[in-house]
Amino acid sequence: MEKINLNSAMKRRNGDERFKYYRQLWFEVGRYEKMTDFPLHLDIELAGVCNLKCDFCFQNDLITKPLGLMDMDMYTKIIDEGKSSGLCAIKLQIRGESFLHPRLFDCICYAKDAGIMDVQITTNGTILDDERIQKIFDSGLDGIIFSFDKRHIDSYKEKYMNSDCHNLEHNINKLLQRKAKLGMSRPWVRLQASIIGSDVGLMLKTENEMKMKFPLADIISVHKVHDYREDVESYKDMLIKYKLLPCNYLMQRLAILWNGEVTFCCMDYNNNYELGNVEEQTIREIWLSKKMDKYRRIHSIGMRKKISMCRNCLVNILPISDKEREPEKLINYLDCERNDILSGKD
């Protein structure tokens, strides 16, 4: 596997060439063809807390550890290391609502000033207002993802004693309309919703309704509600009907929680797979650690089902009948090391 010094590789490129190379690397490392010495992307949890309590959400009863807001000094430490290491992208959200962080826009500006090319955020949009809309444009944010579906609307009504979701829809459309009026390409705006079950007809109906409500959105996405419990299959008979491919997250990104704890996946909501803490180690040390490497190699030999969190996850799965798209070289990579990895000798 080719080793890439990310900072050196990025310094040799400018502008569009730099961004194109980042996206090229994103797919190459995701296929376990190359390995960077620093993650391309960081999921950074500015706020672990949320202002909603939606049905089927991990915020209701799955999280057992304290939640809070990330300290600004910790955040700048993370970005500073990323700047000197070639970091390309961040998403400022994992478990909570980042718009609750009092210095959210300072955080976005700090990352853009550091040269981070792709700064994104996910939000439920419920505290969006005219002032925040303007700050979104002023900050240089590259992308914003709105989670907008019945569960959020119901929770919004209950939390704010509001009989309808007019203000929520209105404010999202106000952002979209202002973007169009300004003739700006950034931030790109994605609207996503989720439904109970896997009814394709309902998904298409929901998608069409979303397009009617938000005609200026760049992307509309509808998917099934994910059950975040580790012991529940994403799809029925998943281990029989699907092949579990190596997860590209392990090669592309790390997740840093509000208190500095680091895990290999943004869906590790209780940090059961803690890799370290940015207050005690550098991100590079965590990224290149033996523990992280072990998780990668378990995936690369096609044995991700040995990791409880990955066994029922819907990321990178392939219907067994779909032979034409099956990337076999990912499944059997490092097969000779299978016994040592699973026995814990390293």
Side-chain angles (χ1 to χ4, degrees):
M1 185 185 299
E2 183 181 352
K3 307 294 184 182
I4 303 292
N5 182 300
L6 186 59
N7 190 45
S8 296
M10 288 299 165
K11 280 186 174 179
R12 294 196 298 269
R13 296 166 172 85
N14 295 305
D16 290 343
E17 183 188 4
R18 189 166 175 258
F19 189 85
K20 288 178 181 177
Y21 182 67
Y22 146 56
R23 295 312 300 169
Q24 176 186 333
L25 272 182
W26 184 265
F27 291 105
E28 290 174 338
V29 300
R31 293 193 295 263
Y32 288 62
E33 296 171 357
K34 295 181 179 180
M35 173 70 192
T36 56
D37 64 344
F38 195 85
L40 292 169
H41 173 107
L42 294 175
D43 292 303
I44 303 174
E45 184 175 77
L46 291 184
V49 293
C50 186
N51 62 329
L52 298 181
K53 292 290 183 181
C54 301
D55 291 340
F56 301 101
C57 180
F58 51 83
Q59 284 276 1
N60 270 329
D61 56 14
L62 183 63
I63 298 176
T64 59
K65 297 181 179 180
L67 297 171
L69 303 176
M70 180 174 283
D71 180 79
M72 192 66 183
D73 288 340
M74 178 183 292
Y75 175 79
T76 57
K77 180 178 183 289
I78 292 168
I79 298 301
D80 289 347
E81 184 183 352
K83 178 181 179 180
S84 64
S85 303
L87 177 65
C88 299
I90 60 173
K91 188 175 80 165
L92 298 175
Q93 188 270 342
I94 298 180
R95 298 174 294 183
E97 174 50 63
S98 292
F99 273 80
L100 296 175
H101 197 286
R103 299 192 64 183
L104 166 63
F105 295 103
D106 291 334
C107 291
I108 296 171
C109 290
Y110 194 85
K112 293 307 297 181
D113 288 344
I116 309 301
M117 291 182 285
D118 192 4
V119 179
Q120 308 174 19
I121 193 168
T122 298
T123 176
N124 57 43
T126 55
I127 56 177
L128 192 67
D129 56 22
D130 199 62
E131 181 181 357
R132 291 186 176 95
I133 289 172
Q134 187 56 48
K135 285 183 176 181
I136 286 172
F137 291 109
D138 294 340
S139 67
L141 184 69
D142 294 290
I144 184 166
I145 303 166
F146 289 103
S147 293
F148 183 92
D149 57 29
K150 186 178 186 301
R151 296 176 302 125
H152 291 96
I153 293 170
D154 290 345
S155 184
Y156 176 77
K157 291 177 181 178
E158 181 179 351
K159 179 79 174 182
Y160 297 100
M161 300 299 178
N162 197 323
S163 60
D164 61 50
C165 60
H166 173 74
N167 288 338
L168 179 54
E169 288 185 36
H170 175 74
N171 286 329
I172 294 174
N173 275 315
K174 183 183 289 187
L175 182 148
L176 290 165
Q177 290 159 6
R178 187 172 301 178
K179 176 189 167 189
K181 185 176 181 180
L182 293 170
M184 298 178 67
S185 60
R186 291 288 187 272
W188 50 260
V189 180
R190 173 177 175 173
L191 269 292
Q192 64 183 26
S194 55
I195 64 169
I196 307 299
S198 304
D199 187 323
V200 175
L202 181 57
M203 284 186 178
L204 292 175
K205 179 177 181 291
T206 304
E207 181 179 331
N208 288 330
E209 290 173 351
M210 295 276 285
K211 288 178 179 178
M212 292 290 290
K213 289 178 180 177
F214 307 105
L216 296 178
D218 297 292
I219 307 167
I220 299 288
S221 173
V222 180
H223 52 84
K224 70 184 290 290
V225 173
H226 179 61
D227 193 316
Y228 296 94
R229 293 172 294 177
E230 286 188 10
D231 58 346
V232 177
E233 293 181 319
S234 294
Y235 296 101
K236 185 179 179 182
D237 298 327
M238 188 164 154
L239 296 182
I240 299 173
K241 296 180 179 179
Y242 294 86
K243 193 159 197 173
L244 309 186
L245 305 181
C247 182
N248 47 20
Y249 284 20
L250 291 160
M251 300 293 290
Q252 297 164 338
R253 62 210 290 175
L254 281 177
I256 305 176
L257 305 181
W258 71 275
N259 58 0
E261 294 178 352
V262 181
T263 177
F264 68 79
C265 183
C266 57
M267 289 193 281
D268 181 13
Y269 293 109
N270 272 313
N271 196 19
N272 294 321
Y273 299 87
E274 184 179 353
L275 298 168
N277 193 300
V278 295
E279 289 190 314
E280 302 164 359
Q281 301 155 277
T282 66
I283 297 169
R284 183 190 300 274
E285 287 171 342
I286 296 170
W287 179 249
L288 299 176
S289 65
K290 288 185 178 180
K291 183 181 284 189
M292 187 69 181
D293 187 53
K294 181 173 181 176
Y295 290 137
R296 289 190 189 104
R297 288 186 285 129
I298 288 174
H299 271 250
S300 69
I301 63 173
M303 296 298 290
R304 76 181 234 190
K305 64 183 178 181
K306 295 294 183 180
I307 304 173
S308 60
M309 187 178 73
C310 307
R311 181 183 304 119
N312 296 309
C313 179
L314 50 71
V315 175
N316 278 24
I317 63 173
L318 184 75
I320 289 176
S321 60
D322 191 353
K323 296 296 182 182
E324 292 182 358
R325 294 189 296 122
E326 188 172 325
E328 286 293 339
K329 66 177 180 178
L330 296 186
I331 301 303
N332 297 313
Y333 189 76
L334 289 177
D335 195 49
C336 60
E337 296 186 286
R338 177 191 303 263
N339 292 332
D340 285 347
I341 295 168
L342 297 181
S343 63
K345 290 180 182 178
D346 62 341

